[in-house]
Amino acid sequence: MKITDILTLYDKILIGFVIILSLVLLLIPFYFFGGSAEGEELILRVQQGDELIKIVAVADSYQEPIIFKVQGPIGVHTIEVNQGRVRVKEAPADDPLKICEKTGWIDREGPIIVCVPNSLSLWLESTNSDIDGMSW
């Protein structure tokens, strides 16, 4: 006996409706909250241990990427800012997992790039955000 033999037409319609409704509800946050607000400026904050070592304005209008290096206990990280997004372009050779490099690009508030062996943290903040701050 197959499951399709047990289901009636109305059961199949109900299952289809629930699937479509679930997909719509999953996509609503991306549609309404995915983009940046008008006039919003993002700022990259780079922290080494407990010290904030660099603040960079992140804009979509840069002609060339901004690339800078951060020295840490296990080596040098190369950080790239390009087209309103940020990434760790290259992690030190002594970093065993290179998770910060594998994290890839971040382009909005929320995600944080962290390199634990080098005590390095990178995150974006908005100039007109509703978020009060970050807790560690």
Side-chain angles (χ1 to χ4, degrees):
M1 180 184 283
K2 297 181 184 176
I3 190 76
T4 54
D5 296 337
I6 300 172
L7 296 176
T8 66
L9 175 64
Y10 296 110
D11 293 332
K12 294 175 186 176
I13 292 172
L14 180 63
I15 290 171
F17 177 75
V18 168
I19 291 172
I20 291 171
L21 182 65
S22 299
L23 291 175
V24 168
L25 290 176
L26 282 173
L27 296 177
I28 283 177
F30 293 107
Y31 180 75
F32 287 107
F33 305 112
S36 61
E38 285 296 319
E40 178 182 49
E41 291 183 28
L42 291 175
I43 297 171
L44 169 65
R45 297 197 183 266
V46 181
Q47 185 171 325
Q48 183 87 45
D50 293 336
E51 180 185 353
L52 188 63
I53 58 170
K54 194 156 186 86
I55 298 174
V56 179
V58 177
D60 294 335
S61 60
Y62 294 140
Q63 297 297 325
E64 297 287 324
I66 297 172
I67 298 175
F68 59 93
K69 296 183 183 292
V70 176
Q71 177 68 44
I74 66 165
V76 177
H77 278 85
T78 304
I79 299 169
E80 179 180 5
V81 179
N82 191 6
Q83 299 298 317
R85 44 192 197 152
V86 178
R87 73 173 174 159
V88 173
K89 187 174 183 178
E90 188 176 332
D94 292 340
D95 188 347
L97 299 176
K98 298 189 182 213
I99 293 174
C100 54
E101 187 177 326
K102 293 175 185 175
T103 300
W105 295 98
I106 59 172
D107 59 358
R108 59 185 168 83
E109 284 186 293
I112 300 174
I113 299 175
V114 177
C115 176
V116 175
N118 228 4
S119 302
L120 182 71
S121 305
L122 297 99
W123 69 91
L124 294 173
E125 288 184 0
S126 172
T127 55
N128 60 354
S129 175
D130 295 336
I131 300 173
D132 292 350
M134 299 181 72
S135 61
W136 294 95

